[in-house]
């Protein structure tokens, strides 16, 4: 009988050790979950940063293209204004010549 009692006491100690070990595993698991959560949060932040950088590059490229287009339109407008001014001068000159010819006739 006494060997069974000591054996039973040994099992009790094993159960305590097992319970303590389980508690340590839970704490370790919680730490791992915190690490996993921290890692996940960092990865999500990294993904968001990459996406924002890509969006910024896209917007900068788009702005560059729009500026080029605006410059081309501005040059076209300047050219048209010069053509209009030239046509107005030509029209004035033509009118003066016609008026002068009428006076001579």
């Amino acid at each position: 009988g006494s060997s069974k009692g000591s054996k039973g006491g040994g099992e009790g100690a094993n159960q305590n050790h097992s319970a303590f070990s389980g508690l340590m595993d839970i704490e370790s698991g919680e730490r791992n979950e915190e690490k996993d959560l921290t890692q996940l949060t960092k990865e999500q932040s990294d993904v968001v940063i990459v996406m924002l950088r890509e969006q910024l590059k896209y917007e900068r490229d788009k702005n560059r293209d729009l500026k080029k287009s605006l410059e081309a339109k501005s040059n076209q407008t300047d050219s048209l204004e010069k053509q209009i001014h030239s046509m107005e001068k030509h029209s004035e000159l033509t009118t003066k010549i016609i008026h002068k010819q009428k006076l001579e006739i």
Side-chain angles (χ1 to χ4, degrees):
S2 66
S3 67
K4 281 187 178 179
S6 66
K7 189 175 182 183
E11 285 177 2
N14 284 341
Q15 285 177 346
N16 286 342
H17 176 71
S18 178
F20 180 73
S21 176
L23 182 59
M24 292 298 289
D25 289 344
I26 290 171
E27 288 178 5
S28 175
E30 287 174 356
R31 285 191 198 115
N32 285 341
E33 286 177 17
E34 287 177 23
K35 286 179 185 176
D36 290 346
L37 186 59
T38 301
Q39 181 66 26
L40 182 61
T41 302
K42 183 181 180 334
E43 288 173 4
Q44 287 174 336
S45 294
D46 290 347
V47 167
V48 170
I49 288 170
V50 167
M51 288 173 54
L52 289 173
R53 284 187 175 149
E54 287 176 1
Q55 181 68 23
L56 179 61
K57 182 185 180 310
Y58 169 79
E59 294 296 339
R60 283 182 173 159
D61 290 347
K62 190 168 136 184
N63 282 348
R64 185 192 66 236
D65 292 344
L66 287 171
K67 283 179 184 177
K68 286 181 181 178
S69 178
L70 180 61
E71 187 176 339
K73 295 282 184 188
S74 181
N75 290 341
Q76 186 178 13
T77 301
D78 291 345
S79 177
L80 285 171
E81 286 176 347
K82 289 175 183 175
Q83 285 180 348
I84 290 170
H85 183 71
S86 176
M87 290 298 291
E88 287 172 343
K89 290 282 187 185
H90 180 71
S91 178
E92 288 175 17
L93 184 60
T94 303
T95 303
K96 285 180 183 177
I97 292 172
I98 291 172
H99 185 68
K100 188 175 183 181
Q101 286 178 347
K102 281 184 180 180
L103 289 176
E104 290 177 357
I105 296 176

